[in-house]
Amino acid sequence: MIDFDQLRRWPDVEAPELVAYDATDRLLLDTAREAVVAHPDGVVVIGDRHGALALGASDLVDGAELRVHQDALSGELALAANAEALGVEARWRSLPLEPDLVADARVVLLQLPRGLDALDEIAELVAAHAHPDVVVVAGGRVKHMTIAMNGVLGRHFGDVRAGLARQKSRVLTATSPSPGSGDPAWPQRRRHGDLVVVAHGAAFAGTSIDVGTRALLAALSAEADAPGLAQAAHVVDLGCGTGVLGASFALAHPAARVVATDQSWAAVASARLTAEANGVAGRVEARRDDAGASLPAGSADLVLLNPPFHVGAAVHAGIAHKLFDGAARLLRPGGELWCVWNSHLGYRAALERTVGPTRQAARGPKFTVTVSTRR
Ligand SMILES: C[S@@+](CC[C@H](N)C(=O)[O-])C[C@H]1O[C@@H](n2cnc3c(N)ncnc32)[C@H](O)[C@@H]1O
């Protein structure tokens, strides 16, 4: 038996109010137990946060290998770290959200994603490639679940049932997959003027362009001839999402090379497709990474950043500060961090402290764009 209380979130952000597992993990494992034990070779885990689901399921499959997809790189690393710390003999393969993940699967344990598009992409993939008798056991915290989730699952499965809530979590069980007849709906694409945005379901803002991102794009375009931008040869789009900032910059500055990096699988896969769709794939490398940690220190002339200010459901500034630290590490002295943030967050002091002298490039009713020069 896995002792869930031993699990940690590390290397994800840790704080007293942030947990490494919740009642949904236990409910999913209890609900799916019979099916998992009956089909140990056909078990797939999707959306596991920090390893509770995969390690719990591995306890039931007698050494069989699980297939696992976690959008966040920190989740993958936490699963591995927890397996090692607990001395668990679990076997699993981490896979992208692609057909091999779910081919012929008999049981899918799913921590429901927050977004309906993310759920739609997962459900579409499972329905198209899993065994016809697959059972999808999808759970979440009741406060994060909406009736629309039943509808999304219902588009891809003939039977969707809601279980009773337990400790404020609930499970939806979907069976009778109906594979669509046409091309997959995901990833999706949309044109915005000169830019095409391609998005997987879990990517931030989907195929639209976030208002904060727009504010940063406008500020970048207003100062496109300034030396810090015009002469930037090595650019990092940090926390790139669908890669809007990196692709736009590459289009506007034909000599620049961009690394678009994010810890989300959906983001990196989307950024790669966005770069291809805009004809800049030769100069934009998409890389899954934690705050750019695998890139050399001092290697960037310019970092573009629209940081998140939510961690999962809990409001927490930890990630933004981690990305400021990452930007400071990546920039060469004199290099610039262009950052957009909700004005009420007052990040300026943190940027001054972490990166260097910071000026305001633009300010609207909601957003502030700052330029920090690496000291
Ligand atoms: C507000 S979104 C911005 C996305 C994109 N730059 C845009 O403007 O549309 C923030 C992004 O940061 C990413 N992110 C969060 N934590 C990260 C980390 N530790 N390392 C890299 N990226 C991270 C999220 O996955 C998300 O895509």
Side-chain angles (χ1 to χ4, degrees), residues 204 213 237 239-241 245 262-264 289-291 306-308 319 323:
F204 170 80
T213 309
D237 177 357
C240 63
L245 292 168
D262 202 295
Q263 71 143 348
S264 149
D289 198 0
D290 182 12
N306 174 8
I319 294 277
L323 292 169

Side-chain angles (χ1 to χ4, degrees), residues 68-348:
V68 179
H69 174 74
Q70 295 164 280
D71 186 66
L73 179 61
S74 58
E76 274 183 21
L77 298 173
L79 163 57
N82 280 319
E84 180 162 352
L86 271 61
V88 180
E89 296 277 318
R91 290 177 58 224
W92 74 90
R93 247 183 322 148
S94 290
L95 294 166
L97 190 64
E98 289 172 358
D100 280 354
L101 172 72
V102 291
D104 247 358
R106 302 299 296 254
V107 197
V108 177
L109 288 98
L110 170 65
Q111 268 276 6
L112 283 162
R114 287 175 69 76
L116 295 178
D117 286 348
L119 179 59
D120 191 50
E121 183 169 12
I122 293 166
E124 174 182 73
L125 189 75
V126 175
H129 300 283
H131 191 280
D133 293 334
V134 68
V135 180
V136 178
V137 187
R141 304 296 281 160
V142 170
K143 66 180 174 189
H144 297 146
M145 290 173 71
T146 63
I147 194 75
M149 290 176 165
N150 304 44
V152 170
L153 287 170
R155 285 210 283 272
H156 305 284
F157 293 87
D159 192 72
V160 178
R161 285 161 207 240
L164 295 175
R166 190 177 92 186
Q167 292 177 298
K168 301 186 182 161
S169 289
R170 189 191 289 284
V171 159
L172 304 174
T173 301
T175 51
S176 306
S178 33
S181 47
D183 287 339
W186 295 98
Q188 296 187 349
R189 61 166 54 212
R190 195 194 306 178
R191 176 171 282 284
H192 301 264
D194 292 338
L195 188 77
V196 177
V197 178
V198 188
H200 282 277
F204 170 80
T207 56
S208 43
I209 300 181
D210 169 60
V211 272
T213 309
R214 285 179 193 276
L216 182 46
L217 287 172
L220 287 164
S221 149
E223 295 192 35
D225 296 331
L229 301 181
Q231 292 165 17
H234 298 284
V235 180
V236 177
D237 177 357
L238 188 59
C240 63
T242 54
V244 170
L245 292 168
S248 300
F249 195 88
L251 283 170
H253 300 269
R257 304 193 77 82
V258 179
V259 177
T261 182
D262 202 295
Q263 71 143 348
S264 149
W265 176 85
V268 174
S270 305
R272 191 167 291 130
L273 294 170
T274 295
E276 281 167 18
N278 292 285
V280 290
R283 290 187 292 120
V284 178
E285 178 201 344
R287 181 191 289 233
R288 189 162 176 238
D289 198 0
D290 182 12
S294 72
L295 296 167
S299 61
D301 303 308
L302 174 67
V303 173
L304 308 174
L305 175 62
N306 174 8
F309 55 94
H310 290 90
V311 179
V315 178
H316 202 276
I319 294 277
H321 291 282
K322 182 173 182 177
L323 292 169
F324 296 164
D325 287 342
R329 195 188 71 79
L330 290 168
L331 285 168
R332 62 161 171 81
E336 291 181 350
L337 166 63
W338 284 63
C339 186
V340 62
W341 34 276
N342 270 37
S343 303
H344 73 87
L345 291 170
Y347 279 152
R348 192 162 175 158

